[in-house]
Amino acid sequence: MTTASSFSQENITEITLNVDEKAPVISKHIYGHFAEHLGRCIYDGFYVGDSSSIANTNGVRNDIVEALKELQIPNLRWPGGCFADTYHWKDGIGPKKDRPTIVNTWWGGVTEDNSFGTHDFLNMCELLGTEPYLSGNVGSGTVQELADWVQYTNFGGISPMSKLREENGRKEPWKVKFWGIGNEAWGCGGNMTAEYYANEYRKYATFISDWENTGGLLRIASGASSDDYHWTETLMKNIPKNLLGGVALHHYSVINWGKKGDAVTFTDAQYFRTMEEALKMEELVTKHSAIMDKYDPKKKIDLIVDEWGGWYEVEKGTNPGFLYQQNTMRDALLAGATLNIFNNHADRVRMANLAQAVNVLQAVILTDKAKMILTPTYHVMNMYKVHQDAKLLPLAFESPKYTFEGKSLPAVSVSASKDSKGSVHISLVNIDPTKDNEVEIDITKLGLKNVSGTILTSKNLRDYNSFDEPDKIEPQNFKKFKVKKRILKVTIPAFSVIVLEGN
Ligand code: AHR
């Protein structure tokens, strides 16, 4: 995008906000989450069992439900991840005492008792007021197994699977819309080639629906890892469009897969690398979207980033297969900048899922027995929820640079939207760990009279909320802005996330 420079002053970044009737609505589903059978995400996370002394509803922690309801999470992906292609859903229904066990081969080799299954998850989604996104087993499952799962969860008429559902205590179908056809088919989902997977996808997508897709399923293809553009190209070329609702993409902000660095005591160089990987999302969604545009110029098929977030070494003393990590201001900045990218690409990116919701990777919630804390990432998600289903306000600007050892990244990231009540929200992130940045936003076209703001920052970049100090990082009132002659001048402190509201 080009820069407007009618009110140029040195060291001040000028941002022009545009009102464009043709601009897309930011799908609320961009603010989705992910809950895998991994470490303490489900067991000893969401699910403590109904005999637990921790307050729960049918075994699901009430405090987690309340916290996620506050975020208005639009969807929740389950049961994996890599776990999904090992999971046989029929083992997780019926009386809990009769369910067979499953060894979680990808994540710690632990034996699970299948006490959290289809009913538990879908009923939990109802409690949360969120839409379920089920990840089907392609790697070690069968077409029949997935077709049965769809019939079990969605069919209201007389059928073997609806009869079974009713016998297990649920008369009405849940009507699940989002269906993933396998996960990371290029890796843990079966080590397939793109060409082979495209054929598998066609078969699965055919038998979980009918000719007209009357059930309205959104069938989602297992997508590329980061910059594997051949994968997206192959799926778009080889899968008939009427079978394809979305194409996934996974990208984690990892410094180096062999040496991921500590989640809290990271070096300045590691901080720069994390931000570099996070901001790479801009290039990834631009290039994957461009490929999709070639085959789907009307943008009917969604780009779904159903795994994203920071990934560091596990916390010392925890099971390496459980992927438990702390969450600092670095993660808040990563989340804010990534969500700005998704918002600005709302014409194609229509769903995304942060990995993962509870106790795993870039979690929004951490638990320790009865204790629960909200991470800085949680607070960013809460501040940004105002963008859900709001109309994007396209913007143009050239970011100041954050330079480290001769390399530079854009320091400031911004996105803006107008909601159905007419309120405008502008989210701003400054990833520079040492320098405040000033921006001037031309709001002439928006006619805003009252502006207020919220900021998330802390004394130190490496600060985090702990079980001893759960509220160390919390959103605060933000006042470092002025409105003068239709120009909104904002000072964005070093390493901070801000959301402004204007009416
Ligand atoms: O989120 C953790 C793992 O990362 C998921 O199981 C897998 O899909 C990805 O590789």
Side-chain angles (χ1 to χ4, degrees):
M1 286 192 169
T2 50
T3 321
S5 52
S6 50
F7 47 96
S8 181
Q9 289 168 56
E10 226 186 321
N11 293 331
I12 295 185
T13 298
E14 298 145 14
I15 303 174
T16 306
L17 280 190
N18 297 303
V19 181
D20 178 357
E21 273 316 305
K22 291 200 205 97
V25 164
I26 298 169
S27 168
K28 66 177 178 182
H29 289 294
I30 283 177
Y31 291 82
H33 290 262
F34 173 31
E36 179 167 9
H37 285 235
L38 196 177
R40 296 194 302 111
C41 184
I42 296 294
Y43 298 110
D44 197 21
F46 275 101
Y47 187 73
V48 287
D50 55 11
S51 59
S52 171
S53 57
I54 300 169
N56 68 82
T57 305
N58 298 325
V60 175
R61 282 180 78 136
N62 293 346
D63 51 359
I64 292 184
V65 170
E66 285 317 308
L68 293 180
K69 272 170 88 170
E70 169 65 22
L71 284 192
Q72 293 167 12
I73 70 164
N75 68 72
L76 187 60
R77 179 172 181 248
W78 178 83
C82 294
F83 181 79
D85 284 288
T86 67
Y87 183 64
H88 300 285
W89 69 269
K90 284 181 185 161
D91 294 345
I93 56 170
K96 296 196 185 213
K97 62 174 181 28
D98 298 338
R99 296 182 191 176
T101 56
I102 176 173
V103 178
N104 195 329
T105 41
W106 296 120
W107 307 118
V110 290
T111 303
E112 299 183 4
D113 64 3
N114 263 313
S115 54
F116 190 88
T118 298
H119 290 249
D120 308 273
F121 175 69
L122 295 177
N123 293 342
M124 179 174 93
C125 286
E126 287 183 341
L127 266 183
L128 289 165
T130 196
E131 281 197 61
Y133 168 7
L134 292 178
S135 251
N137 180 347
V138 169
S140 71
T142 63
V143 174
Q144 187 61 54
E145 188 180 355
L146 189 57
D148 280 352
W149 206 11
V150 175
Q151 192 182 86
Y152 190 87
T153 58
N154 285 10
F155 192 66
I158 297 167
S159 78
M161 289 302 115
S162 27
K163 185 165 172 279
L164 189 56
R165 183 185 68 230
E166 212 173 323
E167 282 164 12
N168 288 329
R170 173 81 185 200
K171 185 161 173 29
E172 291 306 316
W174 291 276
K175 296 277 180 201
V176 178
K177 177 176 175 193
F178 301 119
W179 290 88
I181 314 278
N183 168 75
E184 297 194 348
W186 41 265
C188 62
N191 282 307
M192 304 176 203
T193 62
E195 290 74 12
Y196 181 86
Y197 171 70
N199 275 343
E200 285 292 285
Y201 178 94
R202 292 164 66 124
K203 195 169 61 178
Y204 275 79
T206 301
F207 291 105
I208 65 171
S209 188
D210 59 20
W211 287 112
E212 307 298 333
N213 190 22
T214 36
L217 306 186
L218 194 94
R219 289 163 290 185
I220 302 164
S222 162
S225 171
S226 299
D227 58 1
D228 183 355
Y229 299 113
H230 170 74
W231 188 274
T232 301
E233 180 103 37
T234 307
L235 302 195
M236 291 303 294
K237 196 163 41 182
N238 294 357
I239 300 173
K241 305 295 159 286
N242 65 325
L243 295 181
L244 190 58
V247 173
L249 165 67
H250 288 182
H251 176 65
Y252 285 98
S253 301
V254 181
I255 292 163
N256 171 342
W257 282 107
K259 222 176 169 192
K260 297 189 274 296
D262 192 83
V264 175
T265 59
F266 49 89
T267 63
D268 293 348
Q270 287 172 330
Y271 173 74
F272 185 89
R273 271 290 297 136
T274 304
M275 289 302 128
E276 191 173 36
E277 281 301 320
L279 296 183
K280 195 172 173 196
M281 189 65 87
E282 172 68 38
E283 176 186 324
L284 296 175
V285 296
T286 303
K287 291 191 176 166
H288 284 287
S289 297
I291 293 167
M292 294 176 78
D293 286 351
K294 268 203 304 185
Y295 299 93
D296 173 35
K298 292 197 174 142
K299 298 186 190 291
K300 293 203 166 136
I301 299 167
D302 305 342
L303 178 58
I304 294 179
V305 190
D306 55 15
E307 288 186 31
W308 68 273
W311 190 326
Y312 317 113
E313 298 299 348
V314 298
E315 184 153 304
K316 284 193 187 73
T318 64
N319 186 327
F322 281 15
L323 310 186
Y324 179 87
Q325 64 190 38
Q326 249 301 349
N327 196 292
T328 65
M329 272 307 299
R330 168 171 65 170
D331 297 282
L333 300 160
L334 191 167
T338 305
L339 292 167
N340 280 342
I341 294 169
F342 293 157
N343 286 347
N344 287 327
H345 285 272
D347 62 333
R348 181 66 85 174
V349 179
R350 302 204 185 91
M351 196 198 276
N353 302 75
L354 175 64
Q356 299 194 6
V358 180
N359 292 333
V360 170
L361 298 176
Q362 192 174 342
V364 287
I365 290 173
L366 298 175
T367 64
D368 179 12
K369 302 188 185 74
K371 291 186 189 164
M372 181 192 88
I373 54 173
L374 308 176
T375 66
T377 303
Y378 175 95
H379 293 305
V380 171
M381 282 281 185
N382 206 13
M383 287 161 68
Y384 273 55
K385 70 185 179 197
V386 289
H387 290 303
Q388 291 190 21
D389 283 342
K391 197 166 181 68
L392 180 74
L393 297 172
L395 47 86
F397 78 108
E398 207 166 276
S399 171
K401 292 194 180 351
Y402 151 42
T403 304
F404 180 80
E405 293 183 342
K407 283 182 89 184
S408 292
L409 291 172
V412 172
S413 101
V414 189
S415 71
S417 66
K418 188 172 187 172
D419 69 17
S420 55
K421 293 187 193 119
S423 295
V424 169
H425 295 101
I426 307 170
S427 41
L428 303 127
V429 181
N430 179 11
I431 62 165
D432 196 316
T434 56
K435 199 170 140 256
D436 297 359
N437 273 299
E438 293 218 308
V439 298
E440 286 190 342
I441 309 173
D442 183 348
I443 51 170
T444 313
K445 294 172 190 148
L446 299 170
L448 305 181
K449 290 198 179 71
N450 303 308
V451 179
S452 57
T454 309
I455 185 167
L456 193 78
T457 189
S458 197
K459 262 207 189 110
N460 298 302
L461 178 65
R462 292 163 184 82
D463 282 350
Y464 58 92
N465 290 337
S466 66
F467 293 99
D468 296 328
E469 235 184 319
D471 304 325
K472 188 176 185 120
I473 304 176
E474 269 193 328
Q476 308 287 342
N477 253 342
F478 175 69
K479 295 224 163 74
K480 280 193 179 162
F481 61 87
K482 281 192 273 216
V483 187
K484 215 172 164 190
K485 291 195 190 141
R486 303 274 165 224
I487 299 294
L488 175 59
K489 190 168 172 174
V490 191
T491 303
I492 323 173
F495 64 91
S496 67
V497 180
I498 293 167
V499 174
L500 298 173
E501 176 170 284
N503 295 292

